Amino acid sequence: MSDTSKRIAVFGAGYVGLVTAACFAELGHRVAVRDVLVDRIAALRRGEVPIYEPGLDDLLERNRERLSFTTEVGEAMDGAEFVYVAVGTPPTYSGDADLSAVWTVIDELPRVDHRVVVAMKSTVPVGTGEKVRLRLDARGLEHVGYASNPEFTAEGTAVADFLEPDRIVIGSFDETDGEAVAALHDGIDAPIVRADVASAEMIKLAANAALMTRISFINEIANVCEATGADVVKVAEGIGHDRRIGKSFLRAGVGFGGSCFPKDSLALKQLAANSGYHFQVLNAVIEVNELQKRRVIGKLVELLGSLRGKRIALLGLAFKPNTDDTREAPAFVLAGRLLAEGADVVAWDPVAGADGLYGVEQVATVEEAARGADAAVLVTEWPQLNDVDWAVVAQGMRTPVLVDGRNMLDPQAMRAAGFTYDAIGRAAATGSA
Ligand SMILES: NC(=O)c1ccc[n+]([C@@H]2O[C@H](COP(=O)([O-])OP(=O)(O)OC[C@H]3O[C@@H](n4cnc5c(N)ncnc54)[C@H](O)[C@@H]3O)[C@@H](O)[C@H]2O)c1
């Protein structure tokens, strides 16, 4: 083991914790992963990966000898020089981030004699680091360092995002702790942004808010395109070439979901409100997104009339492709609205399950989902949908209506396949204005 190899304890074996652990092991560190979920740890010990994240299973397998999994805090902390906190921070009823899992980790940290640096990967409100510092000090753990090292990986591409990031952000109270956390990333070629702890925390929240703003912006442009006869796909292409604007996150659709954007936007909105500031742009971004998820219902009513007793196929359940994560997925909102309208809902997804979606039938193929349906809605742009024989799908439907909620398919090809095809903001391409 080289002397740059460190011992790291990662708390939380979820999407972020497992990717962090596997990638640090890949960089040569020894990593102990601790979770409270007994079954999850048992599965990991057997070599099973409890989440779907491309490339993660290979990485865990390749670095098996440097990784261990446990439910015991003491075992994880044995010899640890760094503690990565990667537990969930879901919203509370008030919209604030629920930090109870974070506090449990901090309060359970055993007394250590040597210097250990706690690094926060969980997304937390600005000011959390300051509070953790006070809590550690109150326990006589002044010699335990603290750094904010927020995570910017996206599910579906998390392994590559971690190992080839746009930047690494590290905020610390103590210069040497920040340097130590930076050194853990040796081998990764990326700019390192060193900051104070509060700014590092805000960088994460602001980055997410900026991305969400672009999504709601292009969705509003799409809605105006629909009203005026333009095509948002062309518009996005045209503005994306502008270097001041850029191409990314300009894809109109049925709105954003996932485990991060919705909760982080609420948390930032609430953080601002708690500080006496009304964050107007963010409020609009959230509202636009909520309305966007429901717009498809209006389209279906326009195309089919009353939805009572209609059979609607949802193509895709995951909040985006290449993940099994359905947290805050637009498909779930759509399903809920459709069921409330009295429709029968059948769903297909190659990876994600319909757990928690009561009354929704899940089937194994797109053809099966569409069979006998009055309309199909493409909700998640799974690459598998490129290989579907859409003419066969159209033939199997009661009425061949397809609403492409991600503007994934070619309008002309879909019409040629026999569909009445509608999309998001594509009036010029679909003739739907
Ligand atoms: N999912 C993402 O792509 C992503 C990206 C960037 C940031 N984040 C942030 O990272 C954090 C983790 O997100 P996630 O998606 O990995 O969550 P997750 O729900 O997938 O995983 C969290 C894990 O923490 C475990 N846990 C809870 N209490 C624990 C404790 N006391 N000790 C050890 N483990 C404990 C849970 O059992 C769970 O397995 C969140 O704050 C999230 O906002 C997530």
Side-chain angles (χ1 to χ4, degrees):
M1 195 95 349
S2 77
D3 53 351
T4 54
S5 167
K6 300 291 178 193
R7 291 174 79 112
I8 304 172
V10 174
F11 283 70
Y15 290 87
V16 168
L18 283 177
V19 169
T20 301
C23 291
F24 274 142
E26 175 80 0
L27 293 173
H29 304 298
R30 288 173 65 186
V31 188
V33 182
R34 190 258 172 161
D35 204 289
V36 288
L37 301 177
V38 177
D39 291 351
R40 179 162 286 211
I41 291 301
L44 285 160
R45 281 182 163 163
R46 288 194 301 271
E48 295 164 17
V49 185
I51 57 168
Y52 179 79
E53 182 60 50
L56 180 60
D57 41 2
D58 285 350
L59 207 59
L60 288 170
E61 185 53 41
R62 195 161 66 233
N63 293 290
R64 237 179 134 63
E65 83 283 2
R66 280 195 287 272
L67 284 158
S68 61
F69 303 97
T70 179
T71 53
E72 300 299 322
V73 174
E75 211 178 308
M77 287 297 294
D78 188 20
E81 298 153 279
F82 295 86
V83 174
Y84 265 84
V85 182
V87 296
T89 50
T92 62
Y93 288 115
S94 60
D96 294 279
D98 180 353
L99 296 182
S100 51
V102 169
W103 293 126
T104 305
V105 173
I106 299 300
D107 292 344
E108 283 183 351
L109 283 183
R111 305 215 136 266
V112 281
D113 298 328
H114 60 287
R115 189 157 186 93
V116 169
V117 180
V118 173
M120 186 63 68
K121 270 259 169 259
S122 296
T123 304
V124 294
V126 181
T128 302
E130 194 69 47
K131 289 182 187 150
V132 173
R133 183 68 274 158
L134 291 173
R135 203 130 154 178
L136 289 170
D137 292 351
R139 283 187 58 207
L141 295 175
E142 292 92 347
H143 60 292
V144 171
Y146 182 85
S148 165
N149 179 204
E151 189 50 71
F152 300 96
T153 53
E155 285 174 28
T157 51
V159 170
D161 293 346
F162 191 103
L163 294 171
E164 297 155 44
D166 292 339
R167 77 316 207 173
I168 295 161
V169 173
I170 301 166
S172 64
F173 296 113
D174 182 304
E175 193 69 12
T176 50
D177 291 338
E179 276 161 24
V181 171
L184 288 179
H185 298 81
D186 281 355
I188 294 180
D189 181 20
I192 294 190
V193 179
R194 295 285 301 279
D196 56 281
V197 171
S199 301
E201 292 166 340
M202 184 55 104
I203 288 169
K204 170 64 191 170
L205 298 176
N208 273 1
L211 296 173
M212 288 180 260
T213 302
R214 286 176 72 97
I215 297 172
S216 279
F217 168 76
I218 200 67
N219 281 338
E220 288 222 280
I221 292 288
N223 299 343
V224 180
C225 284
E226 269 177 24
T228 54
D231 179 358
V232 73
V233 173
K234 273 287 149 218
V235 174
E237 185 190 335
I239 61 176
H241 280 294
D242 187 324
R243 271 173 294 182
R244 295 167 302 176
I245 298 173
K247 290 182 174 36
S248 63
F249 280 75
L250 284 183
R251 192 162 182 166
V254 291
F256 58 77
S259 64
C260 289
F261 282 178
K263 86 170 169 62
D264 293 347
S265 55
L266 269 184
L268 180 53
K269 168 185 161 163
Q270 197 55 36
L271 178 73
N274 294 345
S275 321
Y277 186 73
H278 181 61
F279 200 144
Q280 297 191 60
V281 171
L282 197 53
N283 278 309
V285 165
I286 294 167
E287 194 181 329
V288 167
N289 194 56
E290 285 311 312
L291 294 173
Q292 197 69 15
K293 289 188 227 169
R294 290 156 175 80
R295 261 182 94 82
V296 167
I297 303 295
K299 285 179 180 290
L300 289 173
V301 169
E302 233 169 72
L303 290 159
L304 301 175
S306 166
L307 298 180
R308 181 155 299 280
K310 299 277 165 46
R311 187 174 170 83
I312 310 293
L314 295 182
L315 307 182
L317 289 168
F319 83 93
K320 66 173 185 180
N322 298 318
T323 181
D324 58 351
D325 200 342
T326 57
R327 288 179 283 187
E328 302 289 329
F332 278 50
V333 174
L334 266 175
R337 283 293 310 117
L338 287 167
L339 291 170
E341 294 291 327
D344 296 327
V345 183
V346 56
W348 163 86
D349 192 287
V351 175
D355 300 349
L357 263 185
Y358 303 105
V360 172
E361 183 193 346
Q362 188 170 7
V363 294
T365 65
V366 171
E367 292 77 7
E368 239 180 295
R371 194 169 303 139
D374 296 280
V377 183
L378 192 161
V379 193
T380 315
E381 66 276 38
W382 279 102
Q384 287 87 331
L385 293 169
N386 285 317
D387 303 328
V388 165
D389 186 337
W390 289 102
V392 170
V393 173
Q395 274 159 26
M397 293 177 73
R398 180 151 50 199
T399 46
V401 169
L402 178 59
V403 179
D404 182 351
R406 296 293 179 185
N407 292 343
M408 179 182 181
L409 304 168
D410 175 45
Q412 278 181 11
M414 289 305 112
R415 268 197 296 270
F419 283 107
T420 301
Y421 173 85
D422 197 4
I424 306 293
R426 305 208 63 187
T430 59
S432 60

